[in-house]
């Protein structure tokens, strides 16, 4: 909209500025009173929960009893703090779950159907690397050739004949000669 099409404001600029400053002053005053209220509430709660300590003139046994009492109070406060922390974490998890549900309900993101594209290796390299690759790349030329050694297989013969041939000194001489 241009200047001529905008409707005229019913409040003058000076009046609008006056109202803004008045609102800001009121908000500042409310913030100050809120801080003071929180501070007094905190002081009252601390005075109620933790009475002032009077350690002078106490015996060792009284001090030990006081320490036990303070430890019990600390344990109670720690249990309350743990319970509150568990509730907070549960509520945060619930909030994130609800946010996820909200985004799902607003509209599911539909993934478009992908089409299969037939492309050669040279064209793919050209698309990925740009104009760096000018000649076609022969992938098979860069592969190493591996020679497989044939495993020596022993001939399977009748074991009874082998036992008779190897018995005695002649068999031991044959084994000795075969080893060299």
């Amino acid at each position: 909209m241009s200047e001529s099409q905008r409707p005229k404001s019913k409040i003058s600029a000076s009046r609008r500025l006056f109202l803004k400053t008045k609102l800001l002053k009121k908000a500042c005053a409310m913030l100050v009173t809120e801080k003071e209220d929180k501070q007094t509430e905190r002081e009252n709660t601390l005075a109620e929960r933790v009475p002032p300590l009077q350690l002078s003139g106490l015996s060792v046994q009284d001090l030990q009893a006081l320490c036990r009492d303070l430890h019990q109070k600390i344990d109670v406060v720690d249990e309350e703090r743990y319970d509150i922390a568990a509730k907070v974490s549960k509520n945060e998890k619930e909030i994130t779950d609800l946010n996820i549900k909200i985004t799902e309900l607003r509209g599911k993101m539909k993934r478009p159907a992908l089409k299969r594209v037939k492309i050669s290796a040279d064209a793919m390299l050209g698309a990925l690397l740009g104009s760096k690759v000018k000649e076609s790349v022969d992938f098979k030329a860069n592969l190493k050739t591996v020679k497989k050694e044939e495993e020596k297989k022993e001939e399977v013969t009748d074991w009874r004949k082998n036992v008779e041939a190897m018995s005695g000194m002649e068999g031991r001489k044959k084994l000795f000669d075969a080893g060299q």
Side-chain angles (χ1 to χ4, degrees):
M1 290 182 151
S2 65
E3 293 273 336
S4 61
Q5 292 178 351
R6 283 191 188 157
K8 275 275 189 169
S9 177
K10 294 180 182 178
I11 302 174
S12 67
S14 61
R15 175 82 175 145
R16 190 178 315 126
L17 182 64
F18 171 73
L19 290 174
K20 279 184 182 179
T21 55
K22 198 168 190 174
L23 279 173
L24 284 173
K25 285 180 183 178
K26 181 69 174 172
C28 287
M30 289 174 70
L31 276 175
V32 168
T33 56
E34 185 179 343
K35 281 184 181 180
E36 290 173 355
D37 290 343
K38 282 185 179 181
Q39 183 66 26
T40 56
E41 181 182 345
R42 182 175 187 271
E43 289 172 359
N44 291 337
T45 306
L46 284 175
E48 178 183 316
R49 288 188 181 178
V50 183
L53 292 177
Q54 295 178 354
L55 301 176
S56 61
L58 293 178
S59 66
V60 175
Q61 293 169 346
D62 292 339
L63 287 174
Q64 288 176 346
L66 180 65
C67 285
R68 284 190 208 102
D69 187 37
L70 289 176
H71 279 289
Q72 288 174 353
K73 287 182 181 180
I74 289 171
D75 289 342
V76 169
V77 169
D78 278 343
E79 288 174 6
E80 290 176 4
R81 183 183 54 81
Y82 177 78
D83 293 341
I84 291 172
K87 286 180 185 177
V88 166
S89 65
K90 179 183 172 190
N91 288 342
E92 286 177 350
K93 185 178 183 295
E94 189 175 334
I95 287 170
T96 55
D97 290 344
L98 289 174
N99 282 335
I100 291 171
K101 284 184 181 180
I102 287 171
T103 55
E104 288 176 355
L105 290 175
R106 279 189 186 156
K108 294 209 175 212
M109 299 295 190
K110 293 183 180 178
R111 193 183 308 169
L114 300 176
K115 297 178 183 177
R116 184 174 295 275
V117 177
K118 293 183 180 179
I119 188 169
S120 68
D122 295 335
M124 189 180 299
L125 280 174
L128 290 174
L129 301 175
S131 61
K132 292 179 183 176
V133 179
K134 293 181 180 174
E135 71 271 348
S136 67
V137 179
D138 186 14
F139 289 111
K140 291 182 181 178
N142 295 333
L143 294 177
K144 294 180 180 177
T145 56
V146 177
K147 296 180 182 177
K148 292 185 179 179
E149 294 183 17
E150 294 183 21
E151 296 178 12
K152 297 178 182 176
K153 294 184 179 179
E154 295 182 16
E155 294 180 19
V156 179
T157 57
D158 189 12
W159 62 274
R160 285 169 276 181
K161 291 179 184 175
N162 196 16
V163 167
E164 290 175 5
M166 294 296 183
S167 64
M169 289 300 288
E170 295 174 13
R172 290 189 180 173
K173 185 179 179 194
K174 287 180 186 175
L175 283 175
F176 183 75
D177 292 341
Q180 291 180 346

